[in-house]
Amino acid sequence: MQACRNHASRTRSILALLVPLAATGLTGFRAPVAAQAQDADGPRKVFVSVDMEGIGGIGTNSMTSSNGKDYALGRDLMTAEVNRVVETLFAHGVEQVLVNDSHGDMRNLRHTELDPRVEYIQGNTKPLGMVQGLDASFDGVVFLGYHARAGTKDGFLAHTGSGSVKGLWLNGIEVGEGGLNAAFAGELGVPVLMAAGDATFADQFNALTGAPTVTTKVAIGANVARLVHPDVVRDRLEEGLVAGLSRFDTLEPFRVGDPVRVQARFATTTRADVLEAIPGVERVDGFTVAYDAEDMDQAYRLIRLFYKYISF
């Protein structure tokens, strides 16, 4: 069930980040492949979910917070990264792109500066959060600006959903936001074309899903990152995406299977006390609850309820 092919070591990710662009910083495939137009029935559609912590050039927590120093610069970097990816998608046969702002209040992108060919979703009061708008009509997904799961050593600003979540498992597989979103896409039959974030995220995600990843930075502990210039990161993203597009028809969706047993561990016993009142939710231990969902759609909605709309 858990895909583990083509796993790159953390050392390789770090070396790829710190050498010239010729070392692409990509994992999950052997070498870049020249871009090719894709033959398909109907227009190619790609969904882009963009978080902020893993965006190139962002190296402090304050750059990801609306009241933080240099947040405006963080927004600029995020918007520029999305635009490079969107430009690459349209240049290589994709005809429709939907961008979903997926960080914090989900109103971070300077949407009036986005490529005018895209549609976008902003705002965070939405049942499917980071994958709102994704359905089976899409041919692939791209995850930008992602980070490692909660509790990860050497993951830059690592967390899962919110600080209230200390661990999340789907059918016994521990996942972060990237794994959760990939599983949602996978049940729809939609593969990940590329995922980008810090080195630890890239290793975790590639080991879990086998999908191509791009390393954008290397964490020095939880709150500091070693960066390369954002222009270098965007070049790597373009190269990685072209390689992913060249494998459009061979990439495998990541699936955890149906039904889905959700197990979530929280920072406080009080939150587990409250969640236990939901019909079907069972208590595993003081901090942990579980639920047997019919499918990933039901599982995702419940997980988002667990961590976002219960305030304890």
Side-chain angles (χ1 to χ4, degrees):
M1 186 180 299
Q2 181 177 354
C4 294
R5 61 189 184 278
N6 300 326
H7 177 44
S9 68
R10 176 172 174 77
T11 300
R12 184 175 301 169
S13 293
I14 294 172
L15 290 174
L17 182 68
L18 301 178
V19 297
L21 183 59
T24 62
L26 313 178
T27 60
F29 53 88
R30 292 184 183 135
V33 182
Q36 299 176 0
Q38 303 293 325
D39 294 324
D41 296 327
R44 288 284 198 191
K45 294 176 60 178
V46 171
F47 179 88
V48 179
S49 171
V50 54
D51 206 347
M52 202 168 189
E53 291 86 353
I55 294 292
I58 289 182
T60 68
N61 182 55
S62 63
M63 293 183 73
T64 70
S65 175
S66 60
N67 61 356
K69 180 183 178 181
D70 292 334
Y71 171 65
L73 175 59
R75 296 182 69 191
D76 291 341
L77 293 169
M78 186 181 187
T79 303
E81 199 160 293
V82 170
N83 277 338
R84 174 66 78 88
V85 166
V86 167
E87 179 184 9
T88 303
L89 288 169
F90 281 116
H92 292 84
V94 174
E95 298 175 57
Q96 296 181 28
V97 178
L98 176 62
V99 175
N100 186 28
D101 193 322
S102 300
H103 174 75
D105 65 2
M106 301 184 178
R107 293 181 296 172
N108 307 280
L109 287 167
R110 296 193 184 281
H111 55 275
T112 59
E113 298 176 15
L114 287 175
D115 189 305
R117 293 171 290 184
V118 307
E119 295 182 357
Y120 60 92
I121 298 173
Q122 63 177 175
N124 71 353
T125 308
K126 48 195 181 188
L128 292 175
M130 300 177 81
V131 293
Q132 191 69 49
L134 176 60
D135 59 36
S137 70
F138 285 87
D139 298 286
V141 297
V142 175
F143 297 146
L144 294 179
Y146 273 50
H147 51 79
R149 62 178 179 256
T152 300
K153 182 181 181 295
D154 295 327
F156 181 66
L157 303 179
H159 63 279
T160 300
S162 74
S164 67
V165 180
K166 298 306 177 185
L168 178 65
W169 293 263
L170 304 176
N171 286 338
I173 302 170
E174 187 171 10
V175 298
E177 293 170 16
L180 174 64
N181 296 342
F184 182 89
E187 184 170 279
L188 297 171
V190 182
V192 179
L193 296 174
M194 182 188 72
D198 68 87
T200 300
F201 162 76
D203 284 347
Q204 279 185 352
F205 190 81
N206 180 248
L208 180 67
T209 69
T213 57
V214 174
T215 296
T216 62
K217 67 194 72 178
V218 175
I220 302 174
N223 297 300
V224 178
R226 184 168 179 172
L227 307 172
V228 294
H229 195 281
D231 288 347
V232 175
V233 172
R234 290 174 209 143
D235 287 343
R236 292 178 180 176
L237 290 172
E238 180 175 350
E239 188 170 0
L241 188 54
V242 168
L245 288 167
S246 74
R247 299 174 59 200
F248 227 139
D249 299 321
T250 61
L251 290 170
E252 293 290 333
F254 171 64
R255 294 183 171 93
V256 297
D258 293 334
V260 183
R261 183 167 178 81
V262 175
Q263 188 163 310
R265 184 172 179 83
F266 296 99
T268 69
T269 57
T270 305
R271 186 178 293 263
D273 290 341
V274 175
L275 294 176
E276 191 179 10
I278 299 173
V281 173
E282 63 183 79
R283 193 69 167 263
V284 176
D285 60 36
F287 295 95
T288 309
V289 299
Y291 184 87
D292 294 315
E294 295 177 0
D295 53 28
M296 271 305 304
D297 183 81
Q298 185 182 77
Y300 200 105
R301 294 169 189 269
L302 189 71
I303 291 165
R304 187 157 170 79
L305 173 70
F306 278 3
Y307 74 77
K308 178 172 175 57
Y309 298 108
I310 302 296
S311 301
F312 290 96

